[in-house]
Amino acid sequence: MTYNYSKISALVISLGLGLASLSSHGAEPYQWNNTIPEKAPTASQSNGKTVLFDVSHGGVEGNADWVIDGAFSDFADALVTQGYTVQEYRGVDLNNDGTIHFFDDRTPSNEQNEAIITYNAIQHADVLVLAETNRPFTQAEQLALEQFIAAGKGIFFIADHYDADRNLNTWDATEVFNGYNRSDLAKYDLGGEYGDWRNPKMANAGWLVENFGIRFRFNGVDYKQGVSGVVTPNKTEGITQNVQPILMAAGATLAIVNEQKAKGLVYFSETDTPVKWKHAKDQGLYFGGANEGPYAAIAKSGAGKAAFIGDSSPIEDATPKYKRQDSGQTKKTYPGWTDSGNAAVLAVNIVNWLATPESYHYFDNQNGHVTGIPTPEPMATQEMSDPNNGNPWGSPASGFDAWNSDTYKDNSFNSPYGDGHTTPEPDPTPTPNDSISVTQALAAAQGTQFSVLGTVTASVNGIYGLVLSDVNTPETAIYVKLESSQRADFNPELNPEILTKNIIVTGTRNSYMGAAGIRYVTDIQLAPTALSIEQALASAQGEEIELIGKVKSALNGIYALVLEDLTNPSFVINVKLESGQRNQFSPQLNPELLGAQIIVKGVRDQYMSQAGIRQVSTINVVGNNIPEPNNDLSVAEALNMANGTLVTLAGEIKAAINGQYALELMDPSNSATSIYIKLESSQRANFSPQNNPSLIGKKLRVEGMINDYMNHAGVKNVTKLTLLN
């Protein structure tokens, strides 16, 4: 066996993973923690397959340390002896700065979180291990996992007892995997990228059960003697061959809802005597015996597979790598891999099964694929409410915020620093030069003092910071840490009017929230903004001005355009394009520019005998408001796509389906050609024909994934709906 660190560059290219050694921009954060580990067999031992261990969503929170060179070392080593290459998955380096940055992405104002799961980043693997995930998945991430399964791959869900809220953010793995919090409080209807995560109080609702026919229970059970009801191998696809009773050191069980999708591997037998875990928030043990549901289970969902176990203890080992994020103390993990009752054989057998593609899609008693046994009460009454009332497991340490990696202690995973770091002291009397752009600020060295001109586009870290975008290239941005006296006037959460305003920030180049930033801000001033068209028309002839407006039409062929006022379209001005600007900004050559907002800098003059702008030096499109080209599929074309394909299609709304939960979309020219569209909870109020009968006959654009719904060709995981008439 070899521990292979030489393939990391190739891994970065294939996954989008970040390493500081590949980029000087990432030199400060993660200096102690930049080598993403990989364990690989020798070439002669390799089976050509890859297993990813995810640590992008909280697998290293609290005492958890589920990394392949930490408390899952033994598991990873065992897989290498089987011929697997084992890699750690951290996320996607979106800004190519050499590191993976974690940010609070629960609010739409922050779009730079890189600790995310995308299908492109994991598709090279055969198996993905999700261990004690403590941060909820976005809808896009759930879709990525579904695509992974649809491609014939396997996912191993390793959970723990309810309330194993390792980072004290009110989420544990049972809730994250199920797709909803145990609480039904309004705050868990997160909306936006996440959708509604309130407890549906139904066993057949939630992301996990809808895709795999199974859900994790919210129980907490102890049975270190070993759960002994091991199902015979001829009923478990051979996975339980040579498996002995498995210890449960405070764990959860599962409930099978759809026996054709899921079946149990290990249950409490009639002679087992499990007890309530001493720290369980309710009865802990609901029914006992097989009625408590399986401790370990598998699922077959279309082309792919999944496996589940309700405790990490029998799989982990006693070699944690990182310090605790909240306290900086050394972690302590259970030596389950070598303990009596370990799950070593079971875990390896599970990965071997997950990594083997098979053509059958369900457990249907055909060809030896025995169906499962439904759990008699798949959602106990106790599971319909939250004994914690939406509170975290315990009180966070002073200054610790699970959603803010700047508060993590040194040498913990995702912390800004390791040993021996020093925070640079600010110069109490910085002497800035003339204002520079955000682009120039990003290129400046750490510790540089300057004044930066930019546009306020969002909050960052709640009320504590803002995002400053380049005036000319809005996608280029830097974070600004606000001092307490500056937040009321300049943080968008406290002062929404500041959004889109140009400001001049005087401070010191540094990192903030793990990203490029400005700290030690001594002064913030409002900067002059671009003129409206109405104001530009009142400007003196010959004056150089900067103005903003909406592109109304082409003028004089390719040589000019007409710009109208954003608030009063009756005010218009003609803009003469220079020869080097026409290919890019002439509406005749670029009709997609019609309706776009642009900022123009030039000299107030006359053009074509009307008010105009000549000698134009710069033109910049504001934001991302250029309409996308129409590449919509027809319903007929979408019906030819394979399940798991991401599509954008357009058709006519024909009818409501399944009450308010879906609609039928047809080709306008052929009503018999139709597809079902499953609506997300946030979409039903506006797009369900049952709730809005006037929608019948309207044209609708749908963005989602091809997947059967109610035994009919359909689209699920709908990310966007747009009425076209």
Side-chain angles (χ1 to χ4, degrees):
M1 181 194 308
T2 60
Y3 294 164
N4 188 342
Y5 293 90
S6 64
K7 296 183 180 178
I8 299 301
S9 295
L11 179 63
V12 171
I13 294 170
S14 64
L15 295 187
L17 296 175
L19 300 179
S21 60
L22 301 181
S23 170
S24 60
H25 296 110
E28 183 181 352
Y30 297 100
Q31 285 181 338
W32 57 280
N33 184 32
N34 268 333
T35 303
I36 300 175
E38 174 182 314
K39 294 185 176 184
T42 62
S44 61
Q45 292 176 315
S46 176
N47 62 13
K49 297 181 179 180
T50 298
V51 179
L52 287 183
F53 279 69
D54 174 61
V55 292
S56 68
H57 279 67
V60 287
E61 313 287 8
N63 268 345
D65 200 71
W66 314 144
V67 291
I68 63 175
D69 54 349
F72 272 168
S73 297
D74 287 351
F75 187 10
D77 293 346
L79 294 176
V80 172
T81 63
Q82 294 281 313
Y84 294 99
T85 295
V86 186
Q87 299 169 344
E88 182 180 294
Y89 177 81
R90 295 182 180 177
V92 182
D93 185 12
L94 298 174
N95 61 3
N96 297 311
D97 72 345
T99 60
I100 303 297
H101 300 294
F102 165 63
F103 299 100
D104 179 1
D105 59 359
R106 293 169 298 173
T107 59
S109 63
N110 190 337
E111 299 177 353
Q112 299 191 52
N113 178 34
E114 297 177 319
I116 57 175
I117 296 174
T118 70
Y119 178 66
N120 285 342
I122 64 174
Q123 65 176 331
H124 74 289
D126 300 276
V127 177
L128 175 66
V129 179
L130 298 173
E132 280 211 68
T133 304
N134 260 234
R135 185 163 57 83
F137 296 127
T138 64
Q139 293 173 341
E141 289 173 322
Q142 290 175 332
L143 175 60
L145 297 176
E146 291 173 42
Q147 287 182 272
F148 191 72
I149 291 293
K153 310 299 183 71
I155 301 177
F156 191 5
F157 296 88
I158 302 173
D160 216 297
H161 58 83
Y162 167 69
D163 213 25
D165 175 16
R166 304 295 183 190
N167 57 359
L168 307 180
N169 70 345
T170 78
W171 298 93
D172 64 52
T174 64
E175 296 168 309
V176 174
F177 293 157
N178 284 341
Y180 54 86
N181 196 278
R182 186 170 180 175
S183 172
D184 63 356
L185 294 177
K187 68 179 181 179
Y188 292 109
D189 185 358
L190 302 181
E193 291 291 321
Y194 286 89
D196 190 348
W197 279 70
R198 292 173 295 176
N199 189 343
K201 304 181 181 180
M202 297 183 295
N204 60 354
W207 179 78
L208 197 74
V209 74
E210 290 172 7
N211 284 280
F212 303 105
I214 196 169
R215 60 174 293 271
F216 279 97
R217 283 206 183 280
F218 297 140
N219 50 9
V221 186
D222 249 341
Y223 196 56
K224 296 184 180 68
Q225 297 92 320
V227 183
S228 67
V230 180
V231 180
T232 57
N234 65 325
K235 296 180 180 179
T236 65
E237 311 300 312
I239 294 172
T240 53
Q241 187 72 46
N242 299 322
V243 171
Q244 300 298 311
I246 308 294
L247 69 88
M248 178 185 276
T253 61
L254 299 112
I256 293 175
V257 178
N258 183 335
E259 69 275 21
Q260 286 196 314
K261 285 188 175 182
K263 61 182 176 182
L265 303 178
V266 182
Y267 290 83
F268 294 122
S269 71
E270 292 181 0
T271 59
D272 289 344
T273 55
V275 297
K276 167 188 174 180
W277 177 50
K278 64 181 179 180
H279 299 298
K281 290 297 193 290
D282 57 15
Q283 293 90 330
L285 182 70
Y286 301 143
F287 307 103
N291 288 351
E292 196 72 16
Y295 175 32
I298 57 173
K300 191 72 173 74
S301 180
K305 301 173 177 179
F308 317 86
I309 190 168
D311 191 7
S312 60
S313 300
I315 302 176
E316 65 188 276
D317 58 65
T319 58
K321 176 181 180 181
Y322 296 100
K323 297 294 179 67
R324 288 182 62 103
Q325 292 169 323
D326 54 349
S327 66
Q329 296 176 350
T330 300
K331 298 184 180 187
K332 183 179 180 181
T333 50
Y334 196 92
W337 193 267
T338 55
D339 201 347
S340 59
N342 67 73
V345 173
L346 177 65
V348 172
N349 287 356
I350 281 175
V351 171
N352 285 337
W353 180 73
L354 292 173
T356 305
E358 295 182 87
S359 60
Y360 70 98
H361 281 199
Y362 301 99
F363 301 127
D364 54 7
N365 290 324
Q366 302 294 316
N367 301 313
H369 304 303
V370 178
T371 59
I373 300 173
T375 303
E377 292 192 43
M379 179 173 265
T381 303
Q382 299 95 314
E383 299 178 273
M384 297 183 185
S385 61
D386 179 18
N388 275 359
N389 197 30
N391 293 317
W393 185 2
S395 299
S398 177
F400 172 72
D401 178 0
W403 300 91
N404 180 357
S405 57
D406 273 5
T407 69
Y408 295 178
K409 298 298 184 182
D410 293 353
N411 285 305
S412 64
F413 189 86
N414 257 328
S415 66
Y417 303 103
D419 291 326
H421 89 271
T422 56
T423 302
E425 292 294 327
D427 186 331
T429 57
T431 55
N433 302 316
D434 292 338
S435 299
I436 63 175
S437 68
V438 171
T439 299
Q440 291 170 317
L442 289 168
Q446 296 277 355
T448 304
Q449 298 157 10
F450 44 38
S451 293
V452 184
L453 170 66
T455 306
V456 180
T457 53
S459 295
V460 65
N461 193 21
I463 66 171
Y464 299 102
L466 62 83
V467 179
L468 194 67
S469 293
D470 197 287
V471 173
N472 294 320
T473 53
E475 67 277 6
T476 303
I478 195 168
Y479 286 1
V480 178
K481 182 181 185 297
L482 298 172
E483 302 300 324
S484 57
S485 61
Q486 300 159 350
R487 295 166 191 160
D489 292 331
F490 295 101
N491 177 266
E493 284 195 13
L494 299 176
N495 182 20
E497 291 80 11
I498 199 66
L499 281 170
T500 72
K501 296 289 180 64
N502 288 345
I503 63 173
I504 299 172
V505 177
T506 302
T508 302
R509 177 72 170 85
N510 208 300
S511 61
Y512 180 53
M513 297 290 292
I518 302 172
R519 288 180 179 255
Y520 317 119
V521 174
T522 58
D523 186 57
I524 304 179
Q525 299 177 4
L526 286 172
T529 57
L531 300 177
S532 67
I533 302 301
E534 183 179 8
Q535 293 170 321
L537 292 170
S539 299
Q541 295 278 352
E543 181 182 355
E544 185 178 58
I545 60 173
E546 187 174 63
L547 66 157
I548 184 171
K550 183 187 295 185
V551 178
K552 181 179 181 179
S553 64
L555 178 68
N556 193 20
I558 66 172
Y559 296 100
L561 59 84
V562 179
L563 209 57
E564 68 179 27
D565 194 275
L566 298 181
T567 57
N568 189 342
S570 64
F571 293 105
V572 297
I573 199 166
N574 296 342
V575 179
K576 181 181 183 294
L577 298 173
E578 301 298 321
S579 59
Q581 299 163 344
R582 295 164 192 162
N583 284 341
Q584 185 175 359
F585 294 106
S586 164
Q588 180 169 305
L589 300 177
N590 305 277
E592 67 273 12
L593 277 172
L594 294 171
Q597 295 179 26
I598 64 172
I599 296 175
V600 176
K601 188 174 183 179
V603 176
R604 177 73 173 84
D605 207 335
Q606 294 287 111
Y607 181 68
M608 301 284 289
S609 302
Q610 293 184 357
I613 303 291
R614 289 176 177 264
Q615 300 175 45
V616 173
S617 57
T618 60
I619 302 176
N620 292 288
V621 178
V622 178
N624 186 23
N625 56 15
I626 300 177
E628 296 180 1
N630 184 353
N631 293 319
D632 301 340
L633 298 176
S634 66
V635 172
E637 290 171 326
L639 290 171
N640 288 325
M641 298 294 176
N643 278 353
T645 305
L646 292 173
V647 297
T648 299
L649 69 152
E652 189 176 294
I653 299 174
K654 182 178 181 180
I657 297 295
N658 193 20
Q660 65 172 336
Y661 296 101
L663 61 85
E664 185 174 11
L665 198 69
M666 68 179 186
D667 268 337
S669 60
N670 184 358
S671 62
T673 304
S674 70
I675 194 167
Y676 288 180
I677 311 297
K678 181 180 183 294
L679 300 174
E680 302 298 324
S681 58
S682 60
Q683 299 162 349
R684 295 166 193 159
N686 294 328
F687 293 98
S688 164
Q690 178 173 290
N691 296 333
N692 306 278
S694 62
L695 289 175
I696 302 295
K698 298 284 188 182
K699 191 173 182 182
L700 181 70
R701 176 180 292 135
V702 179
E703 298 177 32
M705 185 177 76
I706 296 292
N707 209 327
D708 292 348
Y709 178 65
M710 297 189 68
N711 298 317
H712 190 281
V715 178
K716 291 186 177 181
N717 307 103
V718 174
T719 56
K720 188 176 181 181
L721 295 169
T722 307
L723 283 173
L724 300 178
N725 60 2

